[in-house]
Amino acid sequence: GVGFYSAFMVASKVRVVTKAYGEDQAHAWESDGVEGYTISEAERDGHGTDVILTLRDEPETDGRAGEDDEPERGYDTYLSEWGLRDLVTRYSNYVRHPIRMMVTKSRQLPKPDDAPEDYTPEYEDYEELETLNSMTPIWRKRKQEVEQSDYDEFYKSTFHDWEDPARTIPFHVEGTLDYHALLFVPSRAPFDLYSKDYEKGLALYSSNVLIMEKCADLLPDYYNFVRGVVDSPDVSLNISRETLQQDRQLRAMARSVERQITRNLQDMRDNDREAYEKFFDNFGRGLKFGIYNSYGMKADPLADLLLFWSAREGKMVTFAEYVAGMPKEQEAIYFVTGDLRDRLEKLPIVRTVVDKGFDVLLCTQDVDEFTFQAMRSYHAAAVAGDSENPGRDACDLDLKNVTSGDLDLATEEEKEAAQKATTEHEGLFQALAQKLGSKVEKVVAAASPTDAPARITTEGPVSLEMERVLAQGPEGMDAPHSRRVLELNAEHPVFAKLVAAQDAEDDEKLGLYASLLYDQALLVEGLPVDDPVAFAQNVCSLM
């Protein structure tokens, strides 16, 4: 088979001497792997088989290897004790038959009776037949037979981590497909998890023989942090990467592995919240990206695994927990995105929404805005009611950024006041929009006044935070811009100053006020002003 003929990759000649049980004559098969083979009579003590490899000569190097070139494993490696031990433990550690090798060991000689006081212990080398492989894979043992400390030790030694795993997931599937699996959720994210060099995948075994160290097809990208092994006798030893991609059995195993991971993360979320919040701090970004990267198709299994900081509760909550605390009249899930949670909590619009009795999710990762755009809505399950809370039927709730202009949270009185201010001061709003030019789409009266004189909202799919994130892309990339709207608080004393400047036909002062209010609103949103020097000069001029 393929396993035997791979010997010619390192051997210039292979000789097999074999003698059947009960036979008197042994025979030898010999070949250089190029010009056929020969079979002849041979001598061998006892029955059994010897496979003898004559290794190739070491290749000559031209000395032009660069510093970044990886050193190739020489043929002499297969004559060294450490090289053979490494091969056996790496690929055949769990083969059920013992793999023995004569190894050289050292032991201390007995101390002579007449040894002086400054006697130095002496040692001698000796040879001993040692079994190199453990033969018993831990993933084939029943969970009741294995202590958690044994799982932890296996994980740390196999995957080179110094911390115990956050979650251990052993399971066995029988039926049309038979396989054992042992999965681990690490306690911390590896340093290269979000780099292009990181390789995901589970170790794939076939009947305890390793055939692929990292089989990427067994894990979806959003669970790329999971480590472990899958062992199935139904997977061929001769399988190739091309065959793997078309293998229906492998796809079935991948779906089962994904369900097991999801189920265990849900259990951690519900029964060990502290551990889950630590897990989410390490790996939550990948779950969010899984929703965005699938254009929202993976929202159903992943949305309920997400956590966000609640402005009202002051803690991390799930979507389901957010919905459970919603007032009956609330018809959407409100969120805001930015870089710092403390700054987001102080935004005037966030305080306004919370004061109206609605919660706001404070999202501080750059992927959050894109995740919500991909989801569009969250399917909320029915919530049981009681005498105080009437409950809620299952429904789809829109996800709304509070910095957008379509929240529709104003009361009828507030809407009428805004409309009245717009009608009475139409000329003022047009003049301000003309002063700001292409910076804004329009200037309007805020229907939901805050304690700030002005704020910036957006129209369309690009929010202020999304614009900021996209602006950090590769140099020369034409990033999209948000359609900004400057909303003025008609009840604020500053608005009276604007009206006075308009009535006095003080065009210069009106332009100064427009620039200051716009730049001030940008700073409140955590965005840089277009011209810091002009902003400083305008402040000094006003002073």
Side-chain angles (χ1 to χ4, degrees), residues 432-452:
L432 292 172
Q434 186 177 2
K435 294 293 183 184
L436 294 174
S438 61
K439 294 180 180 179
V440 297
E441 289 286 315
K442 56 186 177 180
V443 181
V444 299
S448 297
T450 66
D451 56 1

Side-chain angles (χ1 to χ4, degrees), residues 310-360:
S310 163
R312 187 177 64 187
E313 301 294 331
K315 63 180 182 179
M316 301 293 282
V317 298
T318 64
F319 279 125
E321 291 165 346
Y322 178 99
V323 173
M326 285 172 48
K328 184 178 180 181
E329 65 272 16
Q330 185 174 348
E331 298 179 351
I333 294 175
Y334 300 115
F335 71 94
V336 65
T337 56
D339 52 353
L340 296 174
R341 193 176 73 203
D342 292 341
R343 184 183 66 78
L344 294 177
E345 285 180 319
K346 297 175 183 177
L347 288 178
I349 186 59
V350 172
R351 295 200 302 269
T352 298
V353 175
V354 173
D355 288 343
K356 287 181 175 292
F358 305 137
D359 198 1
V360 180

Side-chain angles (χ1 to χ4, degrees), residues 4 24 55 166 194 216 234 246 265 280 296 310 336 355 413 422 484 504 506 538:
F4 173 76
D24 296 329
L55 295 182
Y194 298 111
D234 299 323
Q246 306 296 328
L265 292 180
F280 192 80
S310 163
V336 65
D355 288 343
E413 292 78 7
T422 301
R484 301 177 180 182
D506 191 340
N538 288 339

Side-chain angles (χ1 to χ4, degrees), residues 150-209:
D150 296 327
Y151 283 133
D152 294 344
E153 187 60 34
F154 171 80
Y155 166 77
K156 289 187 286 188
S157 62
T158 304
F159 301 104
H160 312 292
D161 197 349
W162 62 82
E163 292 187 33
D164 293 337
R167 193 79 170 184
T168 303
I169 311 173
F171 63 97
H172 176 216
V173 175
E174 291 181 334
T176 55
L177 190 64
D178 184 14
Y179 65 93
H180 291 79
L182 178 57
L183 311 178
F184 299 96
V185 177
S187 296
R188 58 177 181 82
F191 70 93
D192 60 343
L193 178 63
Y194 298 111
S195 72
K196 64 179 181 180
D197 297 325
Y198 180 80
E199 291 185 59
K200 68 167 184 173
L202 303 177
L204 180 60
Y205 285 76
S206 177
S207 300
N208 303 342
V209 178

Side-chain angles (χ1 to χ4, degrees), residues 114-179:
D114 56 350
E117 294 183 1
D118 58 350
Y119 170 75
T120 301
E122 296 181 354
Y123 296 85
E124 68 172 356
D125 293 335
Y126 69 100
E127 290 188 335
E128 182 177 279
L129 193 64
E130 181 179 314
T131 301
L132 303 182
N133 59 326
S134 64
M135 294 183 287
T136 307
I138 193 172
W139 57 82
R140 284 188 172 270
K141 296 181 180 179
R142 295 182 179 180
K143 287 187 287 187
Q144 299 85 347
E145 301 174 353
V146 184
E147 299 289 338
Q148 182 60 45
S149 58
D150 296 327
Y151 283 133
D152 294 344
E153 187 60 34
F154 171 80
Y155 166 77
K156 289 187 286 188
S157 62
T158 304
F159 301 104
H160 312 292
D161 197 349
W162 62 82
E163 292 187 33
D164 293 337
R167 193 79 170 184
T168 303
I169 311 173
F171 63 97
H172 176 216
V173 175
E174 291 181 334
T176 55
L177 190 64
D178 184 14
Y179 65 93

